[in-house]
Amino acid sequence: MSEFAQLTFDENTIQLPVVRGSEKEIAVDISKLRGQSGLITLDRGFKNTGATHSAITFLDGEKGILRYRGYAIEELAEKASFAEVSYLLIYGELPTVDRLSWYNNSIVHHTLVHENMKSFFSAFPLGAHPMGMLSAMVSTLSTFYPGSQSSNRSMEDIELTIHRLIAKLPTLASQAYKHNVGLPTVYPQNELSYTENFLYMMFGLPTEEFEINPVVDSALNKLLILHADHEQNCSTATVRVVGSSQANLYSSISAGISALWGPLHGGANQAVIEMLEQIKLDGGDLQKWIEKAKDKSDSFRLMGFGHRVYKNFDPRARIIKKAADDVLEALGVDDPILDIAKELEQVALKDEYFVERGLYPNVDFYSGIIYRALGIPTEMFTVMFALGRLPGWIAQWKEMTENNDPIGRPRQVYTGPTERPFVEIDGR
Ligand code: SDX
């Protein structure tokens, strides 16, 4: 039975179709609003606006639910490998044993990047932020694979580009890290898993054997799964809008990496650690920093707190908080920053300001503490987020392409000067 919402303005009443999702979410479809009424909607930051239909990830912000293709994040984080989750997001179903073997075998044979790309890394200044290098290098991949640029690419072409990108991002990420620490890169090893290969390329050296710590590998696997997709967040919306112009996948993902870099988004995991270090250095007066976060005249925000969708605990934060205890204990790491984070959470969640606004720890609040324990430097934290989010970005780009979504081009309400004549200035 069709359902409608009624809109009355200026003695004109129109019916707008109401659509329901598979999880009973409801939306007013305004795709014909301007034609029927001359009106557009205005929604800064798209807080109330759905951009598309999607079958990939479901969030319930009130209940703290996150599911990839119907599977609960808690189960996937506990039982799945990151390779299985990336396959699930991209292909829509968990892989069979044979399909997973085919997928892993394809990925592992695309892990090398063109040797010419080393000269680009050597041109970056020492200390260049790895997110800046990563975004540039991913876009550069499109120049080495011109076939990826054509808009009439076949599904086989798209699949090859997807596998190339999934395979090469860890290689590029580790090369960005090695550039800044002045150590030689090591080449990926085909017998290693996706996460093992990344750890090997990050911390391995050509001069010695490298032993993968299973605790580190398992923690990395869990963190990548927890970051793999999150419906229409800022960077995913960016990937979809860029891709909607029929730009190639490399350029679309490069734009997503840039959007993720911002401290209000994925860059928050780096900002959280810098904030906790600052609080520690300042003597650890937590109430002082809570008051600063509440003070509208102060630009300070409690990084890692709050979320556009979750007005309750971010289910990923719960999992990461527990993993932080387990990983640090297993590695014998005692990090005072974890205690400060936990105390800060306790103080904030007793404060009306945070409770009434539904500001809880999000995915970025505890993740940096684990990355630190794994030996990953702070400036690489958002790169880790990008590594995890890559299959989600790709799945969303692929869905947008397959659904032939129209080019993304929002309207506006103009508030500038009305028409005025050009007057030549004397003597010009
Ligand atoms: C990610 O969208 C996703 O799914 C993103 C993500 C993903 O997986 O892709 O989950 C990953 O980006 C997580 C968020 C990481 N960012 C941070 O931790 C930065 C700190 N958080 C905030 O900047 C903020 O909470 C946002 C950006 C996350 C959400 O901002 P919104 O939805 O635009 O909310 P808002 O800024 O309008 O805040 C509502 C109120 C405001 O106060 P009032 O105007 O009602 O008085 O809450 C206040 C804000 O001032 N507020 C905060 C706060 N976050 C919101 N006050 C202090 N500290 C904060 N962190």
Side-chain angles (χ1 to χ4, degrees), residues 96-385:
T96 60
V97 170
D98 292 346
R99 284 292 286 177
L100 184 59
S101 162
W102 163 81
Y103 182 65
N104 282 330
N105 187 53
S106 171
I107 300 290
V108 85
H109 285 93
H110 289 292
T111 49
L112 291 172
V113 296
H114 196 291
E115 284 293 295
N116 286 11
M117 294 187 88
K118 283 190 167 179
S119 54
F120 302 143
F121 276 109
S122 64
F124 287 115
L126 271 190
H129 197 291
M131 284 296 276
M133 291 193 266
L134 197 68
S135 171
M137 299 309 263
V138 167
S139 185
T140 303
L141 282 174
S142 64
T143 65
F144 286 87
Y145 302 104
S148 68
Q149 295 168 18
S150 77
S151 47
N152 58 355
R153 56 234 149 164
S154 68
M155 278 321 288
E156 289 70 29
D157 295 339
I158 288 177
E159 184 163 69
L160 175 57
T161 302
I162 288 172
H163 288 197
R164 277 180 170 147
L165 185 48
I166 288 190
K168 295 177 194 312
L169 198 68
T171 308
L172 292 171
S174 62
Q175 290 190 3
Y177 166 69
K178 286 286 180 66
H179 167 78
N180 273 341
V181 295
L183 289 173
T185 56
V186 293
Y187 289 97
Q189 299 294 319
N190 286 3
E191 72 278 3
L192 296 177
S193 76
Y194 193 81
T195 47
E196 289 171 340
N197 233 337
F198 174 69
L199 292 169
Y200 171 61
M201 292 187 286
M202 275 286 285
F203 302 118
L205 292 171
T207 48
E208 59 192 45
E209 282 299 305
F210 180 76
E211 201 181 315
I212 307 271
N213 181 329
V215 172
V216 173
D217 184 51
S218 163
L220 178 60
N221 182 68
K222 182 173 283 189
L223 283 166
L224 294 181
I225 288 171
L226 290 167
H227 287 81
D229 193 51
H230 215 239
E231 59 135 277
Q232 305 307 313
N233 60 84
C234 175
S235 54
T236 299
T238 301
V239 167
R240 287 184 81 123
V241 165
V242 171
S244 71
S245 74
Q246 294 188 357
N248 64 74
L249 179 64
Y250 298 116
S251 310
S252 304
I253 300 299
S254 171
I257 292 170
S258 298
L260 187 73
W261 194 359
L264 294 188
H265 191 14
N269 58 16
Q270 173 177 342
V272 166
I273 292 294
E274 290 166 350
M275 171 187 76
L276 294 172
E277 290 281 17
Q278 189 181 14
I279 292 173
K280 179 166 170 274
L281 219 54
D282 181 55
D285 177 355
L286 299 181
Q287 197 54 47
K288 168 186 167 186
W289 291 91
I290 290 288
E291 293 311 315
K292 279 174 66 69
K294 291 158 59 177
D295 178 359
K296 294 303 174 193
S297 64
D298 191 323
S299 61
F300 174 76
R301 280 202 158 188
L302 208 54
M303 301 313 278
F305 258 72
H307 198 275
R308 175 62 56 78
V309 177
Y310 294 123
K311 298 308 172 192
N312 198 321
F313 241 93
D314 180 332
R316 302 166 297 176
R318 267 191 223 284
I319 297 168
I320 294 174
K321 180 180 177 182
K322 168 130 185 7
D325 284 330
D326 299 346
V327 170
L328 269 65
E329 187 188 345
L331 294 176
V333 170
D334 176 20
D335 188 346
I337 291 289
L338 176 57
D339 299 331
I340 294 176
K342 287 180 177 176
E343 286 164 38
L344 191 58
E345 176 192 335
Q346 289 307 318
V347 174
L349 295 187
K350 289 195 183 86
D351 189 301
E352 249 325 281
Y353 173 92
F354 292 88
V355 174
E356 69 190 17
R357 290 172 176 78
L359 303 177
Y360 288 80
N362 59 49
V363 67
D364 292 313
F365 191 62
Y366 287 106
S367 53
I369 289 163
I370 300 181
Y371 291 138
R372 230 154 93 112
L374 303 185
I376 291 162
T378 307
E379 281 212 339
M380 282 289 290
F381 287 4
T382 312
V383 168
M384 301 308 294
F385 195 141

